[in-house]
Amino acid sequence: MKKLIALLSTTLLLSANTAYADECTLNIDANDMMQFSTKTLSAPKSCKQVTVKLSHTGKLPANVMGHNWVLSTEQNMQGIITDGNAAGLSNHYIKPNDSRVIGATDIIGGGKTTEVTFKTSGLTAGTDYTFFCSFPGHYAMMKGTFTLK
Ligand SMILES: [Cu+2]
């Protein structure tokens, strides 16, 4: 019994250590149907920074069905999208140095992957932030919530 407990604690300790880094990295897919693979993402509030890896599992090129992953507050989303549309594809549909953006990946086409790492210091745990794709028109379908828990 003692042996079993020792083994269990070692396993727990190990998994806690590895889970820590893993839980601060989130994966999400996007496709040619203008969809993200999930509408909710969360990370432990113990994460000092969070990395989001975006994979475009479709085939269409970036100028036709490009996707990015952008994080902001719900109230800032529309302004970021409006200014992003004006900034164009060459700016990944994000106004350069837009301070309302908490984190944003590049726009990618089918078969590509990209990622962004952002600090969590300015975020409030338990608050729902909004993630979306800023490619023109996509946010209507490509939108979800990100929460530090
Ligand atoms: Cu998109």
Side-chain angles (χ1 to χ4, degrees):
M1 189 62 187
K2 231 179 208 172
K3 232 180 203 172
L4 182 63
I5 290 170
L7 185 67
L8 276 176
S9 348
T10 312
T11 313
L12 283 176
L13 206 64
L14 282 176
S15 56
N17 279 341
T18 47
Y20 181 75
D22 286 352
E23 285 172 355
C24 301
T25 299
L26 308 173
N27 294 289
I28 184 167
D29 294 345
N31 63 23
D32 283 343
M33 305 291 288
M34 212 189 286
Q35 293 162 329
F36 279 131
S37 54
T38 182
K39 292 200 177 296
T40 56
L41 287 172
S42 66
K45 59 186 173 194
S46 55
C47 296
K48 297 251 186 300
Q49 54 184 33
V50 172
T51 298
V52 173
K53 295 184 173 178
L54 171 68
S55 300
H56 190 323
T57 60
K59 290 189 166 63
L60 295 171
N63 61 335
V64 177
M65 185 54 72
H67 300 308
N68 61 359
W69 186 92
V70 184
L71 184 66
S72 74
T73 61
E74 171 72 33
Q75 55 271 36
N76 280 342
M77 180 187 76
Q78 199 57 59
I80 292 170
I81 289 171
T82 302
D83 291 347
N85 284 4
L89 178 59
S90 59
N91 288 304
H92 300 278
Y93 292 113
I94 292 289
K95 184 179 79 172
N97 305 313
D98 191 332
S99 60
R100 296 166 297 187
V101 172
I102 298 165
T105 71
D106 286 350
I107 290 269
I108 53 169
K112 300 281 199 302
T113 61
T114 185
E115 64 179 68
V116 60
T117 298
F118 54 92
K119 289 192 168 69
T120 59
S121 48
L123 303 184
T124 307
T127 297
D128 284 347
Y129 293 86
T130 300
F131 71 79
F132 55 93
C133 172
S134 71
F135 192 101
H138 286 199
Y139 77 94
M141 287 182 67
M142 301 186 73
K143 186 181 162 202
T145 60
F146 169 84
T147 317
L148 283 177
K149 288 180 175 170

